Amino acid sequence: MAKQISELKLGILGGGQLGRMLIQEAINYNLTTLVLDPDADAPCKHIANYFENGSITDYDTVYNFGKKADIITIEIEKVNVDALEQLEREGKQVYPQSRVIRLIQDKGVQKQFFKENDIPTAPFMLVNSKEDLSSGKFPFPYILKLRKDGYDGKGVMKISNASDVKNAFDAPTLIEELVNFEKEIAVIVARNANGDTKTFPMVEMEFNAEANLVEFLISPSTYPESIQERAEKIAKDIAAALNITGILAVEMFITKHGDILVNELAPRPHNSGHQTIEGNYVSQFGQHLRAIFNLPLGDTRSISNAIMVNVLGEKGHDGVAKYDGLEKIMSIEGVYVHLYGKKYTKPFRKMGHLTIVDQNRENAIEKARFVQQTLKVIS
């Protein structure tokens, strides 16, 4: 007889806020959780059944950690894939599969995957060094992305003209046409080992221009159903082409002409799905667990309008975190607070998120704007 979910040990590579929220859901299934993270005070430290302080990019550390678990998952893509491949060869279940992580670790390979599978995306070119950028083969302005290790806006820059090239990354990069987009959107899709697939409703995102990370998210979208259906179909097509098991976040642009272009993928729970904890019948974290344990996928419908606001460290503050305005925002109906257990704040560090739910969309947005202005993380 197959083991029940509560008899299995779940290993998580990375112990940040995504791991923390995954464990908060895993507790409901009596799951035993094991976490590996390089930060001795990672957010998962006190809620995992077993916490190991160590590198998630070192082969031996990841391999030996993985041997302790039955199923291994990630909360960040920058992990040692060679170790995960070896664990798979030895019969461990790794979800998302190591080949998916390897593909997504390299934005250039990711783009080529889009091209080969007829996934709509902005025109691009791969270059090996800063010197290659001077050839002028790609028209200005464009977006330059490091092929590896970029996240939360790091490793991305706009190149407007020839004089900007001198400040460009001197590493393998991806040049991408600057998209004149109307809105950034995302669809989270889940797929279990049986191939059952479900998408969460499409969401609209607003980015912090300075930090280039999601600051404000509105769910569900009010775009025409035809656009939402197209975006959800693209997400399902990608999940099927990858043959992924687990959650996949698909970030996209809607252009001024109504076209949808895929920007990037994240094969794990994602910032664009945090509002699902209160806003949907199943959360992205619950859905990820269902997918990787090959259980029936949950109901992804929205319960209510839900706005997610990222709680970022204030500029000019670096030290032990204090939350100014917390009591004031907690007096508002429909405000849910999620702090990530990070002791120290620094400018633009993700310290938590807030979800604001309201049956009236405009009321939800108004409350969220007030909350965004009121709660400040200072030192």
Side-chain angles (χ1 to χ4, degrees):
M1 186 179 162
K3 280 186 178 180
Q4 291 191 324
I5 183 172
S6 58
E7 296 175 282
L8 297 169
K9 291 177 180 171
L10 175 65
I12 305 169
L13 294 177
Q17 62 265 21
L18 297 174
R20 180 181 169 101
M21 287 183 272
L22 189 61
I23 292 172
Q24 286 169 337
E25 185 67 42
I27 287 167
N28 294 331
Y29 295 98
N30 292 336
L31 262 171
T32 298
T33 53
L34 295 72
V35 170
L36 176 67
D37 194 273
D39 179 0
D41 292 312
C44 284
K45 181 178 184 176
H46 298 296
I47 64 168
N49 295 103
Y50 168 83
F51 178 81
E52 184 178 324
N53 179 212
S55 170
I56 57 174
T57 56
D58 177 70
Y59 180 94
D60 290 335
T61 308
V62 171
Y63 174 71
N64 290 322
F65 171 80
K67 286 205 290 188
K68 299 181 180 83
D70 296 299
I71 291 183
I72 301 143
T73 192
I74 60 168
E75 65 124 45
I76 185 169
E77 293 90 310
K78 196 181 174 184
V79 295
N80 192 295
V81 180
D82 293 337
L84 294 178
E85 279 180 342
Q86 183 57 33
L87 288 162
E88 282 175 325
R89 281 193 285 269
E90 293 176 15
K92 292 291 182 186
Q93 291 175 288
V94 178
Y95 299 128
Q97 301 91 321
S98 59
R99 56 174 178 76
V100 173
I101 302 170
R102 192 181 288 286
L103 182 149
I104 285 169
Q105 277 182 343
D106 186 325
K107 288 187 172 71
V109 175
Q110 200 180 129
K111 275 286 205 178
Q112 287 169 320
F113 164 81
F114 295 156
K115 194 174 176 181
E116 286 161 14
N117 288 277
D118 296 321
I119 305 297
T121 192
F124 68 96
M125 189 170 93
L126 306 182
V127 295
N128 290 319
S129 66
K130 186 155 74 170
E131 202 179 332
D132 295 345
L133 293 175
S134 306
S135 66
K137 287 179 185 168
F138 209 86
F140 299 113
Y142 56 76
I143 297 294
L144 188 67
K145 295 179 178 178
L146 283 173
R147 285 181 62 170
K148 293 198 170 182
D149 301 341
Y151 68 97
D152 278 351
K154 297 176 178 70
V156 179
M157 63 169 67
K158 181 180 173 184
I159 304 289
S160 299
N161 48 51
S163 63
D164 283 349
V165 172
K166 64 179 181 295
N167 300 317
F169 306 120
D170 195 11
T173 52
L174 162 72
I175 296 177
E176 200 172 73
E177 186 180 285
L178 185 63
V179 177
N180 184 17
F181 64 87
E182 182 176 277
K183 184 69 71 176
E184 295 202 42
I185 59 168
V187 171
I188 289 181
V189 58
R191 188 175 179 278
N192 65 17
N194 288 344
D196 301 330
T197 307
K198 280 194 178 182
T199 54
F200 284 89
M202 180 182 118
V203 301
E204 300 171 20
M205 300 185 289
E206 290 179 15
F207 280 68
N208 180 302
E210 201 170 342
N212 194 26
L213 49 81
V214 179
E215 193 167 41
F216 199 86
L217 178 147
I218 304 172
S219 169
S221 172
T222 52
Y223 269 92
E225 212 161 281
S226 59
I227 285 182
Q228 297 193 48
E229 284 172 2
R230 221 181 332 143
E232 288 175 25
K233 184 182 183 301
I234 289 169
K236 283 180 176 174
D237 288 347
I238 293 171
L242 284 172
N243 195 19
I244 190 175
T245 297
I247 279 272
L248 179 73
V250 183
E251 296 181 88
M252 298 173 258
F253 301 117
I254 297 180
T255 72
K256 299 225 179 339
H257 302 297
D259 295 323
I260 297 176
L261 300 175
V262 176
N263 180 23
E264 288 178 8
L265 308 177
R268 52 170 171 77
H270 188 257
N271 210 159
S272 61
H274 290 347
Q275 81 294 339
T276 59
I277 298 171
E278 286 87 19
N280 297 68
Y281 286 99
V282 68
S283 76
Q284 65 165 337
F285 301 99
Q287 195 77 310
H288 184 59
L289 291 174
R290 286 167 177 256
I292 65 177
F293 285 96
N294 204 22
L295 296 166
L297 297 178
D299 183 351
T300 56
R301 286 176 304 153
S302 299
I303 298 170
S304 168
N305 294 290
I307 314 295
M308 191 280 301
V309 178
N310 265 334
V311 178
L312 306 176
E314 286 293 302
K315 281 175 75 174
H317 289 268
D318 205 324
V320 177
K322 296 188 187 76
Y323 296 86
D324 188 43
L326 191 60
E327 207 171 306
K328 200 180 279 187
I329 65 156
M330 286 179 71
S331 68
I332 302 167
E333 194 179 312
V335 172
Y336 295 86
V337 178
H338 297 265
L339 301 181
Y340 295 156
K342 297 177 181 178
K343 187 176 179 182
Y344 299 100
T345 185
K346 58 185 178 184
F348 303 119
R349 187 181 192 196
K350 287 181 185 172
M351 301 300 290
H353 78 266
L354 305 162
T355 305
I356 297 88
V357 297
D358 198 298
Q359 292 303 326
N360 181 296
R361 181 183 168 92
E362 292 312 311
N363 284 354
I365 292 171
E366 195 179 321
K367 286 178 189 176
R369 295 289 181 206
F370 175 79
V371 161
Q372 196 174 26
Q373 298 304 316
T374 305
L375 182 63
K376 302 293 178 190
V377 188
I378 57 174
S379 58

